[in-house]
Amino acid sequence: MELKDRVAFVTAGGAGIGRAGALAMAREGALGGVTDLLAERARAVAAEIRAAGGRAEGFGLDVADDAALEDAILGADRRHGRLDVVHSHAGVQVPGRLDQVSADQMDLSWRLNVRAHFIAARAAMSVMAPRRAGSIIVTSSNSGVQYDRGMIAYCTTKHAVIAMVRQIAADYARDNVRCNALCPGFVDTIFNAGFEEQMGGRAGLEKYVSDTIPMGRFGSAGEMAEAVVYLASDRSFFMTGHALVIDGAESL
């Protein structure tokens, strides 16, 4: 098992990519801390992991609450005596151009897509760096390496978080703690609501995916989960500061 006896902590792990990543790390032997804004979803994923013979705890967490987020991450370390992986996955997708997005919506995007990852990484680093071990995974997007029309809040924050990941990686490489960004393209989850709205509904989104993505399809949450395991495990031990883009060549 790639992650045997390691402790992994996941935000927004109740559905989609977060859930798939939590399940995949548990299958590889990790003890999982699964959190979600909706506590019942986090508990359901933890129960699913335990039913399959794994170990997990699930609870509600609002990543916009700095103190609660920091306490949850440090609490996982206190309870288990170690913290090996943090996958900071929570985010928000606000569609619109400059004239269509309010300052409050931009603030919300920044709070969830950048600040929450900063708080999570800072808390994780406070226990990982002294032990000289750990992997921090931050979910960005392929929108962080390209520019989506009519998505100013989303693209701005996704570019910013990649810059932050790279800065963290450079600052802490000598401490043997890795920090990488997971950059999915279109994965068929509820998170696509903003793009779906922008494209006039589900049919418009499906046509965009079929016509624009070179591979002609959505990615799956399971495919992203394989990348999460890779970034969490020693298989990527010499990789830090990387934006791992998995998007069927959309961004090329």
Side-chain angles (χ1 to χ4, degrees):
M1 289 185 173
E2 297 280 354
L3 300 171
K4 183 174 173 55
D5 295 329
R6 298 188 189 181
V7 175
F9 182 96
V10 182
T11 68
I17 295 171
R19 170 184 172 273
L23 291 171
M25 286 193 286
R27 285 195 297 270
E28 292 295 334
L31 189 160
V34 183
T35 71
D36 197 271
L37 182 60
L38 301 177
E40 61 273 19
R41 294 203 312 197
R43 288 193 290 265
V45 174
E48 190 175 354
I49 290 170
R50 292 193 298 270
R55 299 169 298 162
E57 53 191 5
F59 53 93
L61 176 64
D62 180 358
V63 299
D65 183 332
D66 294 350
L69 176 55
E70 182 175 4
D71 185 64
I73 290 172
L74 296 181
D77 180 71
R78 287 192 300 268
R79 285 191 303 279
H80 305 296
R82 62 188 295 168
L83 182 63
D84 302 284
V85 181
V86 168
H87 181 195
S88 185
H89 177 61
V92 66
Q93 189 183 91
V94 175
R97 303 183 312 173
L98 178 64
D99 60 326
Q100 298 167 328
V101 173
S102 69
D104 285 345
Q105 287 175 312
M106 178 58 91
D107 285 345
L108 174 64
S109 298
W110 191 265
R111 185 165 192 84
L112 294 178
N113 294 348
V114 182
R115 182 187 174 97
H117 297 309
F118 167 82
I119 297 296
R122 188 177 64 173
M125 193 64 74
S126 73
V127 295
M128 290 178 175
R131 294 171 185 156
R132 299 187 54 77
S135 174
I136 299 169
I137 305 164
V138 175
T139 297
S140 178
S141 168
N142 73 340
S143 296
V145 298
Q146 64 179 3
Y147 297 92
D148 295 310
R149 303 301 181 261
M151 280 282 177
I152 188 169
Y154 192 65
C155 278
T156 298
T157 54
K158 292 302 184 179
H159 276 257
V161 79
I162 289 176
M164 184 175 73
V165 161
R166 288 173 171 161
Q167 184 66 54
I168 293 168
D171 286 343
Y172 290 92
R174 293 295 179 112
D175 294 289
N176 210 39
V177 179
R178 299 179 297 110
C179 186
N180 292 288
L182 177 69
C183 301
F186 277 102
V187 178
D188 199 8
T189 72
I190 58 174
F191 193 73
N192 288 321
F195 280 108
E196 188 170 316
E197 176 187 339
Q198 185 190 54
M199 295 174 189
R202 175 71 184 188
L205 176 59
E206 290 180 349
K207 185 176 189 309
Y208 174 87
V209 168
S210 176
D211 294 348
T212 307
I213 296 176
M215 290 189 75
R217 66 172 178 87
F218 286 100
S220 71
E223 288 169 324
M224 303 307 121
E226 290 299 316
V228 170
V229 170
Y230 174 70
L231 292 174
S233 74
D234 290 346
R235 283 186 285 169
S236 60
F237 199 64
F238 199 52
M239 178 184 287
T240 191
H242 187 66
L244 182 56
V245 178
I246 310 173
D247 68 353
E250 181 194 5
S251 56
L252 298 182

